Amino acid sequence: METTKNYFFADMSVMLGRSMRHVFRSMDTIITVTIMPIAMMLLFVYVLGGAIESGTDNYVNYLLPGILLIAVANSIGYVSFRLFTDVQRGIFERFHSMPIARSAALWGHVLTSLMSNVISVFVIILVALLMGFRSPAGILSWLGVAGMLAMFTLALTWIAVIPGLTAKSVDGASVIAYPIHFLPLISSAFVPTKSMPPAVRAFAENQPVTSIVEAIRSLLSGKPVVGIDIWIALAWCVGIMLVGYAFAMRVYKKRM
């Protein structure tokens, strides 16, 4: 059993390295996942920020949690695309003909999504610090932010795995990204929901992105008691992640 586990982790690390090289060689991925969120942050803070009533004098502090979620959401379409490409080229069949763990190739893609988002989020936070972002949060609060972002990434990644394995075309594989891009725009990521019309406000306050944004915002503000938002956010992340994982693994076993 120990030998099997050792081979699984060794195989998975090889697959992770393979997928990460694809990410680093894809300028399109780097621009979409890292540079575009930074550009949005610059636009909102230095062009639109003066006209937005966020309830704080330092708008970048208010904006950063939403920008981090935008960066994660932008990366999801590439998970589906890379999986679709591997399926169409018969890469999975080739790997399965070798003496490697059967699920290692899939886990390589999932962990690549997590690892690439860690790098992207780190770069975005560095730029935010240069723009004036400041946080009184302690180490536990920062660990809470990291854990929340990791769960959000895994939740969206497992959802993205499903079209990546089942789509008939590149467009079909990438279409999952569009509704996910839309959610942060109708949330409290950029402006407080109280300024929205009643119907839009009701949707914004009861969709997962708002709860996750508010939980991260509270953690970064250094509040001693984060409140109910963090439990709602955790419920959304864990619920989506478990459902996505169950369906994705079912599709993977059936298809592969």
Side-chain angles (χ1 to χ4, degrees):
M1 181 64 75
E2 185 179 352
T3 303
T4 302
K5 288 181 179 178
N6 288 338
Y7 278 122
F8 173 76
F9 289 117
D11 295 341
M12 191 171 59
S13 67
V14 172
M15 297 301 166
L16 172 62
R18 168 183 176 269
S19 294
M20 285 301 297
R21 284 193 291 276
H22 289 171
V23 172
F24 288 132
R25 292 170 183 171
S26 171
M27 186 53 67
D28 183 61
T29 304
I30 294 171
I31 290 174
T32 305
V33 175
T34 305
I35 297 178
M36 281 298 295
I38 291 173
M40 288 182 66
M41 187 163 61
L42 292 168
L43 173 68
F44 272 88
V45 172
Y46 294 126
V47 179
L48 304 175
I52 296 176
E53 292 291 339
S54 63
T56 175
D57 295 334
N58 192 355
Y59 182 57
V60 69
N61 278 14
Y62 181 90
L63 182 65
L64 182 61
I67 292 295
L68 297 179
L69 296 196
I70 287 277
V72 174
N74 284 359
S75 71
I76 296 309
Y78 292 100
V79 177
S80 294
F81 173 74
R82 286 192 293 268
L83 272 169
F84 174 80
T85 303
D86 277 359
V87 171
Q88 293 302 308
R89 292 177 177 174
I91 299 296
F92 279 95
E93 284 82 356
R94 191 181 304 171
F95 285 147
H96 291 166
S97 68
M98 300 176 183
I100 64 173
R102 189 171 180 79
S103 60
L106 180 60
W107 275 103
H109 282 283
V110 172
L111 293 182
T112 296
S113 175
L114 186 62
M115 185 64 70
S116 61
N117 275 300
V118 167
I119 298 171
S120 173
V121 164
F122 181 73
V123 173
I124 292 169
I125 291 175
L126 286 181
V127 174
L129 288 169
L130 293 175
M131 294 171 63
F133 169 74
R134 297 293 181 269
S135 170
I139 183 67
L140 290 179
S141 293
W142 276 104
L143 288 175
V145 172
M148 188 69 69
L149 289 172
M151 284 192 290
F152 182 67
T153 302
L154 289 173
L156 295 189
T157 299
W158 282 115
I159 294 295
V161 165
I162 299 170
L165 293 173
T166 58
K168 304 298 183 185
S169 66
V170 175
D171 291 339
S174 303
V175 74
I176 186 67
Y178 296 111
I180 293 175
H181 288 170
F182 202 57
L183 287 179
L185 300 178
I186 312 177
S187 72
S188 64
F190 301 103
V191 296
T193 56
K194 63 182 181 182
S195 64
M196 301 176 183
V200 179
R201 178 179 179 179
F203 176 80
E205 291 180 346
N206 293 284
Q207 57 116 328
V209 169
T210 293
S211 299
I212 298 169
V213 163
E214 292 300 329
I216 294 174
R217 194 171 282 147
S218 297
L219 287 167
L220 291 177
S221 70
K223 292 180 180 177
V225 179
V226 175
I228 194 172
D229 280 326
I230 193 167
W231 300 111
I232 297 175
L234 284 172
W236 275 114
C237 289
V238 173
I240 295 172
M241 186 166 56
L242 291 178
V243 171
Y245 173 79
F247 277 98
M249 291 306 291
R250 183 176 180 181
V251 170
Y252 184 71
K253 290 175 182 175
K254 185 177 180 181
R255 182 76 190 269
M256 303 298 164

